[in-house]
Amino acid sequence: MIYRHAIGTQTHVFADLRDLMAKATPPRSGDRLAGLAAETAEQMIAARMALADVPLKQFLSETVIPYEDDEVTRLIVDSHDAAAFATISSLTVGGFRDWLLSDAATPAVLHELASGITPEMAAAVSKLMRNQDLILVAKKCEIITRFRNTIGLRGRMSVRLQPNHPFDDVRGITASVLDGLMLGAGDACIGINPASDDPAVLGGLVRLLDEVITKLQIPTQSCVLTHVTTTLDLINQGFPVDLVFQSIAGTEEANRSFGIDLVILEEAYEAGLSLKRGTVGKNVMYFETGQGSALSANAHHGVDQQTVEARAYGVARAFAPLLVNSVVGFIGPEYLYDGKEIIRAGLEDHFCGKLLGLPLGVDVCYTNHAEADQDDMDNLLTLLAAAGVNFIMGVPGADDVMLNYQSTSFHDALYVRDLFGLKRAPEFDDWLLRAGLAGPDFRVKAHDGWLPELASRLIA
C-alpha cells in the first residue's frame, strides 16, 4: 500500500508500510548507513503525520517482511491475541499514542493488552513519541518474572552482576563477584560473558557460580552467556545451569547468522525448564538484543533498525524469559552514532519491550569510538530508572575489561537507588540484611562481617 502526506505544496510519497516506518524514525546512523532514513526533516515529519493516521488493523494485514519468507513474521502473526487487541482495534497509531498517555491506560489494562500488540505496532507508536512519552508509558508497565527471586516489582530495580575477565580467570571472576555482592549487586543474575568457547572452561564457570551461590545461600541465579547449543550440551552433561542465554534478532535470517532458529530456542527453553532449579518461579531464559544487529548481518530486509529490534521482542515473548536486555550502545557508532542517538534508542527499546509484556533491562553502554561519554550514560541511566527499568548492568568500575566497552558500575546502581528510593528484588534485599551487608533501610554498609573473610578464602 502506498502512503502519502502533503506539507504545503510538497506531497511526500512512501512506497509501503516498511518505507513509511523507516522514514518516520528519529535520526540514527544505522538507518542512514542502510539508506533507509528520511532525507530531510520535512520528509520525516510528513512520514510521522502519515503514520499517525494508519489504523492499527493495517499492521495485521500488511507485514514489513512477508509472512512466507520469515519465521519471525509467522510467529508474530500466528501468536497475535485478537481478543486482547479488541480494546484498541478501532484506533490509529496516533490515537493509540493518545490512549497510552491517557488515564484509561492503567497498569492492569496494559498488562491485559500486551499480547494483542504486535512489535510493529509498538515500534510505530514509539516513533510518534517524545522521550517523556516513552518514559511515562513504560513506567505504567509492571512486568514481573521469577526464578530464585522476584524481579520487576514496582519501586525496585535489579542489577546483573557482570564479572567478566579477559582470560576467564577464576580468581579474577570471583573477586569481581564478591565486589559486586558487597555493593548490593547481583539480584537480576550473576552473568559471565566468557572469553573462551571451550566447553571445559564454560563448564568450570557454571560450577564456579553455582558454588558461590550455594555456599553463600544467595537467592539469585547464574548465567554463562555462551551459545544456546553449548548450554544445551552442558545441560545434557549434568552441569548446574540456571538461566539459558541467547542473543536474538528480529528476522529469521539474522537469527540464522547467530546460529539459531525458533526450533532451537524451543528445545533450549524446554531443557531449562526440565532442570527445575528455580525456587519461586520458572522463567529460565535470558535474551540479549541490540539495534543494528540485523543490519550488521545484512539481514534487515530493508526494515529500519528500531522496528527490527521490536520484532526481536516478539521472539523473546514466545519463551517467557526472566530477563531481556537491550545492549543499546554496544554495536558501535555505525548504528547509534552519539549520546543523543543512544539515549533515544534506549528509551525506545525499554518502552517497546515493556509494552509487549517483556521484563526489559538495558545495558546503558557505549563503545570508545562512539561520540558519547559517561555523562551521556548518566543521563540515560537516570531516565531509565525514572521509567521503571527492570534491571541494569553492574560492571566493576563501569569498564568491561573483556568486552572492551563502557557500561554502568555497582556504584551507578547505588546512585539511582538513592535518587529514586529503589530497592532490589525482595528476596535479595532480605539476604543482604541477613548477611550484614545492608542495614534495616536496605542501604549497603561497611563490610565488617563474615563476607570479606569468606571472600579471601574463595579467592585463595
Side-chain angles (χ1 to χ4, degrees), residues 299-329:
H300 60 295
H301 295 271
V303 181
D304 70 90
Q305 66 182 38
Q306 189 258 331
T307 299
V308 174
E309 172 73 4
R311 284 168 55 91
Y313 304 152
V315 175
R317 186 165 60 175
F319 302 101
L322 180 77
L323 308 167
V324 179
N325 179 29
S326 167
V327 192
V328 68

PDB file of all heavy atoms in Angstrom, residues 299-329:
ATOM      1  N   ALA A 299      20.764  -8.595   7.128  1.00  0.00           N
ATOM      2  CA  ALA A 299      19.578  -9.438   7.239  1.00  0.00           C
ATOM      3  C   ALA A 299      18.381  -8.631   7.729  1.00  0.00           C
ATOM      4  O   ALA A 299      17.502  -9.154   8.413  1.00  0.00           O
ATOM      5  CB  ALA A 299      19.860 -10.592   8.189  1.00  0.00           C
ATOM      6  N   HIS A 300      18.346  -7.352   7.353  1.00  0.00           N
ATOM      7  CA  HIS A 300      17.291  -6.466   7.860  1.00  0.00           C
ATOM      8  C   HIS A 300      16.111  -6.326   6.916  1.00  0.00           C
ATOM      9  O   HIS A 300      15.081  -5.760   7.281  1.00  0.00           O
ATOM     10  CB  HIS A 300      17.870  -5.087   8.149  1.00  0.00           C
ATOM     11  CG  HIS A 300      18.473  -4.416   6.957  1.00  0.00           C
ATOM     12  ND1 HIS A 300      19.583  -4.914   6.313  1.00  0.00           N
ATOM     13  CD2 HIS A 300      18.116  -3.294   6.273  1.00  0.00           C
ATOM     14  CE1 HIS A 300      19.886  -4.120   5.298  1.00  0.00           C
ATOM     15  NE2 HIS A 300      19.015  -3.146   5.239  1.00  0.00           N
ATOM     16  N   HIS A 301      16.251  -6.781   5.662  1.00  0.00           N
ATOM     17  CA  HIS A 301      15.162  -6.766   4.676  1.00  0.00           C
ATOM     18  C   HIS A 301      14.612  -5.361   4.435  1.00  0.00           C
ATOM     19  O   HIS A 301      13.417  -5.198   4.148  1.00  0.00           O
ATOM     20  CB  HIS A 301      14.023  -7.691   5.125  1.00  0.00           C
ATOM     21  CG  HIS A 301      14.395  -9.137   5.187  1.00  0.00           C
ATOM     22  ND1 HIS A 301      14.274 -10.007   4.117  1.00  0.00           N
ATOM     23  CD2 HIS A 301      14.906  -9.878   6.208  1.00  0.00           C
ATOM     24  CE1 HIS A 301      14.688 -11.206   4.473  1.00  0.00           C
ATOM     25  NE2 HIS A 301      15.079 -11.161   5.740  1.00  0.00           N
ATOM     26  N   GLY A 302      15.449  -4.368   4.558  1.00  0.00           N
ATOM     27  CA  GLY A 302      15.001  -3.006   4.304  1.00  0.00           C
ATOM     28  C   GLY A 302      14.140  -2.413   5.399  1.00  0.00           C
ATOM     29  O   GLY A 302      13.514  -1.365   5.205  1.00  0.00           O
ATOM     30  N   VAL A 303      14.118  -3.043   6.561  1.00  0.00           N
ATOM     31  CA  VAL A 303      13.340  -2.554   7.707  1.00  0.00           C
ATOM     32  C   VAL A 303      14.263  -1.746   8.610  1.00  0.00           C
ATOM     33  O   VAL A 303      15.408  -2.130   8.853  1.00  0.00           O
ATOM     34  CB  VAL A 303      12.721  -3.734   8.483  1.00  0.00           C
ATOM     35  CG1 VAL A 303      11.897  -3.226   9.660  1.00  0.00           C
ATOM     36  CG2 VAL A 303      11.867  -4.593   7.554  1.00  0.00           C
ATOM     37  N   ASP A 304      13.770  -0.620   9.122  1.00  0.00           N
ATOM     38  CA  ASP A 304      14.602   0.219   9.992  1.00  0.00           C
ATOM     39  C   ASP A 304      14.988  -0.555  11.245  1.00  0.00           C
ATOM     40  O   ASP A 304      14.293  -1.475  11.686  1.00  0.00           O
ATOM     41  CB  ASP A 304      13.858   1.506  10.352  1.00  0.00           C
ATOM     42  CG  ASP A 304      12.676   1.272  11.286  1.00  0.00           C
ATOM     43  OD1 ASP A 304      12.864   1.314  12.507  1.00  0.00           O
ATOM     44  OD2 ASP A 304      11.559   1.026  10.774  1.00  0.00           O
ATOM     45  N   GLN A 305      16.128  -0.163  11.833  1.00  0.00           N
ATOM     46  CA  GLN A 305      16.716  -0.988  12.892  1.00  0.00           C
ATOM     47  C   GLN A 305      15.882  -1.002  14.166  1.00  0.00           C
ATOM     48  O   GLN A 305      15.888  -1.983  14.908  1.00  0.00           O
ATOM     49  CB  GLN A 305      18.154  -0.558  13.172  1.00  0.00           C
ATOM     50  CG  GLN A 305      18.337   0.819  13.760  1.00  0.00           C
ATOM     51  CD  GLN A 305      19.815   1.155  13.939  1.00  0.00           C
ATOM     52  OE1 GLN A 305      20.658   0.806  13.116  1.00  0.00           O
ATOM     53  NE2 GLN A 305      20.133   1.833  15.021  1.00  0.00           N
ATOM     54  N   GLN A 306      15.145   0.052  14.429  1.00  0.00           N
ATOM     55  CA  GLN A 306      14.331   0.059  15.648  1.00  0.00           C
ATOM     56  C   GLN A 306      13.131  -0.875  15.520  1.00  0.00           C
ATOM     57  O   GLN A 306      12.756  -1.568  16.473  1.00  0.00           O
ATOM     58  CB  GLN A 306      13.874   1.479  15.971  1.00  0.00           C
ATOM     59  CG  GLN A 306      13.214   1.629  17.334  1.00  0.00           C
ATOM     60  CD  GLN A 306      11.706   1.708  17.251  1.00  0.00           C
ATOM     61  OE1 GLN A 306      11.150   2.166  16.251  1.00  0.00           O
ATOM     62  NE2 GLN A 306      11.029   1.291  18.304  1.00  0.00           N
ATOM     63  N   THR A 307      12.535  -0.932  14.349  1.00  0.00           N
ATOM     64  CA  THR A 307      11.429  -1.862  14.133  1.00  0.00           C
ATOM     65  C   THR A 307      11.918  -3.305  14.181  1.00  0.00           C
ATOM     66  O   THR A 307      11.259  -4.180  14.760  1.00  0.00           O
ATOM     67  CB  THR A 307      10.735  -1.564  12.791  1.00  0.00           C
ATOM     68  OG1 THR A 307      10.213  -0.235  12.820  1.00  0.00           O
ATOM     69  CG2 THR A 307       9.591  -2.532  12.536  1.00  0.00           C
ATOM     70  N   VAL A 308      13.080  -3.579  13.599  1.00  0.00           N
ATOM     71  CA  VAL A 308      13.648  -4.927  13.689  1.00  0.00           C
ATOM     72  C   VAL A 308      13.920  -5.294  15.146  1.00  0.00           C
ATOM     73  O   VAL A 308      13.680  -6.427  15.577  1.00  0.00           O
ATOM     74  CB  VAL A 308      14.942  -5.042  12.852  1.00  0.00           C
ATOM     75  CG1 VAL A 308      15.602  -6.398  13.061  1.00  0.00           C
ATOM     76  CG2 VAL A 308      14.638  -4.854  11.368  1.00  0.00           C
ATOM     77  N   GLU A 309      14.396  -4.331  15.926  1.00  0.00           N
ATOM     78  CA  GLU A 309      14.638  -4.584  17.343  1.00  0.00           C
ATOM     79  C   GLU A 309      13.342  -4.968  18.048  1.00  0.00           C
ATOM     80  O   GLU A 309      13.307  -5.925  18.842  1.00  0.00           O
ATOM     81  CB  GLU A 309      15.251  -3.349  18.002  1.00  0.00           C
ATOM     82  CG  GLU A 309      15.378  -3.405  19.511  1.00  0.00           C
ATOM     83  CD  GLU A 309      16.461  -4.330  20.014  1.00  0.00           C
ATOM     84  OE1 GLU A 309      17.197  -4.911  19.195  1.00  0.00           O
ATOM     85  OE2 GLU A 309      16.586  -4.484  21.242  1.00  0.00           O
ATOM     86  N   ALA A 310      12.270  -4.248  17.781  1.00  0.00           N
ATOM     87  CA  ALA A 310      10.985  -4.578  18.400  1.00  0.00           C
ATOM     88  C   ALA A 310      10.537  -5.984  18.006  1.00  0.00           C
ATOM     89  O   ALA A 310       9.946  -6.710  18.813  1.00  0.00           O
ATOM     90  CB  ALA A 310       9.932  -3.548  18.015  1.00  0.00           C
ATOM     91  N   ARG A 311      10.809  -6.379  16.763  1.00  0.00           N
ATOM     92  CA  ARG A 311      10.465  -7.739  16.327  1.00  0.00           C
ATOM     93  C   ARG A 311      11.250  -8.795  17.114  1.00  0.00           C
ATOM     94  O   ARG A 311      10.745  -9.899  17.351  1.00  0.00           O
ATOM     95  CB  ARG A 311      10.715  -7.879  14.825  1.00  0.00           C
ATOM     96  CG  ARG A 311       9.654  -7.210  13.956  1.00  0.00           C
ATOM     97  CD  ARG A 311      10.104  -7.127  12.504  1.00  0.00           C
ATOM     98  NE  ARG A 311      10.483  -8.411  11.946  1.00  0.00           N
ATOM     99  CZ  ARG A 311       9.659  -9.253  11.302  1.00  0.00           C
ATOM    100  NH1 ARG A 311       8.391  -8.928  11.131  1.00  0.00           N
ATOM    101  NH2 ARG A 311      10.103 -10.396  10.823  1.00  0.00           N
ATOM    102  N   ALA A 312      12.465  -8.465  17.526  1.00  0.00           N
ATOM    103  CA  ALA A 312      13.213  -9.398  18.374  1.00  0.00           C
ATOM    104  C   ALA A 312      12.477  -9.640  19.694  1.00  0.00           C
ATOM    105  O   ALA A 312      12.534 -10.742  20.254  1.00  0.00           O
ATOM    106  CB  ALA A 312      14.618  -8.863  18.649  1.00  0.00           C
ATOM    107  N   TYR A 313      11.773  -8.633  20.175  1.00  0.00           N
ATOM    108  CA  TYR A 313      10.989  -8.810  21.401  1.00  0.00           C
ATOM    109  C   TYR A 313       9.817  -9.756  21.158  1.00  0.00           C
ATOM    110  O   TYR A 313       9.355 -10.439  22.082  1.00  0.00           O
ATOM    111  CB  TYR A 313      10.494  -7.466  21.923  1.00  0.00           C
ATOM    112  CG  TYR A 313      11.592  -6.457  22.168  1.00  0.00           C
ATOM    113  CD1 TYR A 313      11.348  -5.093  22.071  1.00  0.00           C
ATOM    114  CD2 TYR A 313      12.886  -6.865  22.485  1.00  0.00           C
ATOM    115  CE1 TYR A 313      12.356  -4.160  22.284  1.00  0.00           C
ATOM    116  CE2 TYR A 313      13.896  -5.946  22.703  1.00  0.00           C
ATOM    117  CZ  TYR A 313      13.625  -4.596  22.596  1.00  0.00           C
ATOM    118  OH  TYR A 313      14.622  -3.674  22.802  1.00  0.00           O
ATOM    119  N   GLY A 314       9.323  -9.800  19.905  1.00  0.00           N
ATOM    120  CA  GLY A 314       8.314 -10.783  19.565  1.00  0.00           C
ATOM    121  C   GLY A 314       8.843 -12.199  19.681  1.00  0.00           C
ATOM    122  O   GLY A 314       8.122 -13.128  20.089  1.00  0.00           O
ATOM    123  N   VAL A 315      10.106 -12.392  19.338  1.00  0.00           N
ATOM    124  CA  VAL A 315      10.752 -13.696  19.521  1.00  0.00           C
ATOM    125  C   VAL A 315      10.875 -14.005  21.012  1.00  0.00           C
ATOM    126  O   VAL A 315      10.504 -15.093  21.479  1.00  0.00           O
ATOM    127  CB  VAL A 315      12.140 -13.722  18.852  1.00  0.00           C
ATOM    128  CG1 VAL A 315      12.865 -15.034  19.158  1.00  0.00           C
ATOM    129  CG2 VAL A 315      12.009 -13.525  17.339  1.00  0.00           C
ATOM    130  N   ALA A 316      11.391 -13.061  21.772  1.00  0.00           N
ATOM    131  CA  ALA A 316      11.607 -13.279  23.207  1.00  0.00           C
ATOM    132  C   ALA A 316      10.308 -13.607  23.921  1.00  0.00           C
ATOM    133  O   ALA A 316      10.269 -14.489  24.803  1.00  0.00           O
ATOM    134  CB  ALA A 316      12.255 -12.033  23.820  1.00  0.00           C
ATOM    135  N   ARG A 317       9.247 -12.930  23.542  1.00  0.00           N
ATOM    136  CA  ARG A 317       7.971 -13.090  24.241  1.00  0.00           C
ATOM    137  C   ARG A 317       7.458 -14.530  24.194  1.00  0.00           C
ATOM    138  O   ARG A 317       6.737 -14.975  25.090  1.00  0.00           O
ATOM    139  CB  ARG A 317       6.951 -12.122  23.630  1.00  0.00           C
ATOM    140  CG  ARG A 317       5.626 -12.075  24.343  1.00  0.00           C
ATOM    141  CD  ARG A 317       4.806 -10.860  23.946  1.00  0.00           C
ATOM    142  NE  ARG A 317       4.493 -10.814  22.517  1.00  0.00           N
ATOM    143  CZ  ARG A 317       3.700  -9.886  21.968  1.00  0.00           C
ATOM    144  NH1 ARG A 317       3.177  -8.926  22.721  1.00  0.00           N
ATOM    145  NH2 ARG A 317       3.453  -9.892  20.671  1.00  0.00           N
ATOM    146  N   ALA A 318       7.831 -15.265  23.162  1.00  0.00           N
ATOM    147  CA  ALA A 318       7.349 -16.638  22.996  1.00  0.00           C
ATOM    148  C   ALA A 318       7.933 -17.603  24.019  1.00  0.00           C
ATOM    149  O   ALA A 318       7.425 -18.723  24.159  1.00  0.00           O
ATOM    150  CB  ALA A 318       7.682 -17.126  21.587  1.00  0.00           C
ATOM    151  N   PHE A 319       8.981 -17.173  24.764  1.00  0.00           N
ATOM    152  CA  PHE A 319       9.686 -18.105  25.643  1.00  0.00           C
ATOM    153  C   PHE A 319       9.727 -17.640  27.095  1.00  0.00           C
ATOM    154  O   PHE A 319      10.581 -18.090  27.862  1.00  0.00           O
ATOM    155  CB  PHE A 319      11.094 -18.345  25.101  1.00  0.00           C
ATOM    156  CG  PHE A 319      11.103 -18.887  23.695  1.00  0.00           C
ATOM    157  CD1 PHE A 319      11.363 -18.059  22.621  1.00  0.00           C
ATOM    158  CD2 PHE A 319      10.796 -20.214  23.460  1.00  0.00           C
ATOM    159  CE1 PHE A 319      11.338 -18.541  21.320  1.00  0.00           C
ATOM    160  CE2 PHE A 319      10.773 -20.716  22.166  1.00  0.00           C
ATOM    161  CZ  PHE A 319      11.041 -19.884  21.090  1.00  0.00           C
ATOM    162  N   ALA A 320       8.818 -16.769  27.486  1.00  0.00           N
ATOM    163  CA  ALA A 320       8.634 -16.374  28.890  1.00  0.00           C
ATOM    164  C   ALA A 320       9.952 -16.127  29.615  1.00  0.00           C
ATOM    165  O   ALA A 320      10.249 -16.767  30.625  1.00  0.00           O
ATOM    166  CB  ALA A 320       7.826 -17.447  29.626  1.00  0.00           C
ATOM    167  N   PRO A 321      10.780 -15.186  29.135  1.00  0.00           N
ATOM    168  CA  PRO A 321      12.109 -15.012  29.727  1.00  0.00           C
ATOM    169  C   PRO A 321      12.082 -14.363  31.110  1.00  0.00           C
ATOM    170  O   PRO A 321      11.159 -13.605  31.440  1.00  0.00           O
ATOM    171  CB  PRO A 321      12.810 -14.084  28.726  1.00  0.00           C
ATOM    172  CG  PRO A 321      11.686 -13.297  28.110  1.00  0.00           C
ATOM    173  CD  PRO A 321      10.540 -14.252  28.017  1.00  0.00           C
ATOM    174  N   LEU A 322      13.105 -14.663  31.884  1.00  0.00           N
ATOM    175  CA  LEU A 322      13.313 -13.956  33.153  1.00  0.00           C
ATOM    176  C   LEU A 322      13.841 -12.556  32.889  1.00  0.00           C
ATOM    177  O   LEU A 322      13.450 -11.591  33.564  1.00  0.00           O
ATOM    178  CB  LEU A 322      14.320 -14.721  34.023  1.00  0.00           C
ATOM    179  CG  LEU A 322      14.625 -14.090  35.385  1.00  0.00           C
ATOM    180  CD1 LEU A 322      13.482 -14.346  36.358  1.00  0.00           C
ATOM    181  CD2 LEU A 322      15.943 -14.620  35.961  1.00  0.00           C
ATOM    182  N   LEU A 323      14.735 -12.441  31.897  1.00  0.00           N
ATOM    183  CA  LEU A 323      15.426 -11.197  31.599  1.00  0.00           C
ATOM    184  C   LEU A 323      15.527 -11.010  30.088  1.00  0.00           C
ATOM    185  O   LEU A 323      15.826 -11.963  29.364  1.00  0.00           O
ATOM    186  CB  LEU A 323      16.849 -11.201  32.176  1.00  0.00           C
ATOM    187  CG  LEU A 323      17.028 -11.541  33.661  1.00  0.00           C
ATOM    188  CD1 LEU A 323      18.494 -11.812  33.962  1.00  0.00           C
ATOM    189  CD2 LEU A 323      16.498 -10.418  34.535  1.00  0.00           C
ATOM    190  N   VAL A 324      15.289  -9.787  29.618  1.00  0.00           N
ATOM    191  CA  VAL A 324      15.599  -9.396  28.245  1.00  0.00           C
ATOM    192  C   VAL A 324      16.402  -8.107  28.335  1.00  0.00           C
ATOM    193  O   VAL A 324      15.968  -7.146  28.961  1.00  0.00           O
ATOM    194  CB  VAL A 324      14.336  -9.177  27.392  1.00  0.00           C
ATOM    195  CG1 VAL A 324      14.721  -8.751  25.979  1.00  0.00           C
ATOM    196  CG2 VAL A 324      13.471 -10.434  27.358  1.00  0.00           C
ATOM    197  N   ASN A 325      17.550  -8.100  27.704  1.00  0.00           N
ATOM    198  CA  ASN A 325      18.485  -6.988  27.858  1.00  0.00           C
ATOM    199  C   ASN A 325      18.798  -6.355  26.508  1.00  0.00           C
ATOM    200  O   ASN A 325      19.351  -7.009  25.622  1.00  0.00           O
ATOM    201  CB  ASN A 325      19.789  -7.506  28.498  1.00  0.00           C
ATOM    202  CG  ASN A 325      20.823  -6.414  28.682  1.00  0.00           C
ATOM    203  OD1 ASN A 325      20.471  -5.251  28.852  1.00  0.00           O
ATOM    204  ND2 ASN A 325      22.087  -6.780  28.646  1.00  0.00           N
ATOM    205  N   SER A 326      18.435  -5.089  26.353  1.00  0.00           N
ATOM    206  CA  SER A 326      18.871  -4.331  25.181  1.00  0.00           C
ATOM    207  C   SER A 326      20.259  -3.775  25.458  1.00  0.00           C
ATOM    208  O   SER A 326      20.435  -2.912  26.317  1.00  0.00           O
ATOM    209  CB  SER A 326      17.902  -3.184  24.891  1.00  0.00           C
ATOM    210  OG  SER A 326      18.475  -2.281  23.967  1.00  0.00           O
ATOM    211  N   VAL A 327      21.247  -4.280  24.733  1.00  0.00           N
ATOM    212  CA  VAL A 327      22.625  -3.804  24.899  1.00  0.00           C
ATOM    213  C   VAL A 327      22.784  -2.611  23.956  1.00  0.00           C
ATOM    214  O   VAL A 327      23.395  -2.700  22.897  1.00  0.00           O
ATOM    215  CB  VAL A 327      23.635  -4.938  24.600  1.00  0.00           C
ATOM    216  CG1 VAL A 327      25.032  -4.549  25.057  1.00  0.00           C
ATOM    217  CG2 VAL A 327      23.209  -6.219  25.290  1.00  0.00           C
ATOM    218  N   VAL A 328      22.276  -1.470  24.386  1.00  0.00           N
ATOM    219  CA  VAL A 328      21.849  -0.441  23.441  1.00  0.00           C
ATOM    220  C   VAL A 328      22.981   0.206  22.662  1.00  0.00           C
ATOM    221  O   VAL A 328      22.842   0.485  21.466  1.00  0.00           O
ATOM    222  CB  VAL A 328      20.982   0.615  24.168  1.00  0.00           C
ATOM    223  CG1 VAL A 328      21.809   1.422  25.168  1.00  0.00           C
ATOM    224  CG2 VAL A 328      20.303   1.543  23.185  1.00  0.00           C
ATOM    225  N   GLY A 329      24.118   0.469  23.267  1.00  0.00           N
ATOM    226  CA  GLY A 329      25.192   1.161  22.556  1.00  0.00           C
ATOM    227  C   GLY A 329      26.366   0.279  22.202  1.00  0.00           C
ATOM    228  O   GLY A 329      27.411   0.769  21.778  1.00  0.00           O
TER     229      GLY A 329
END
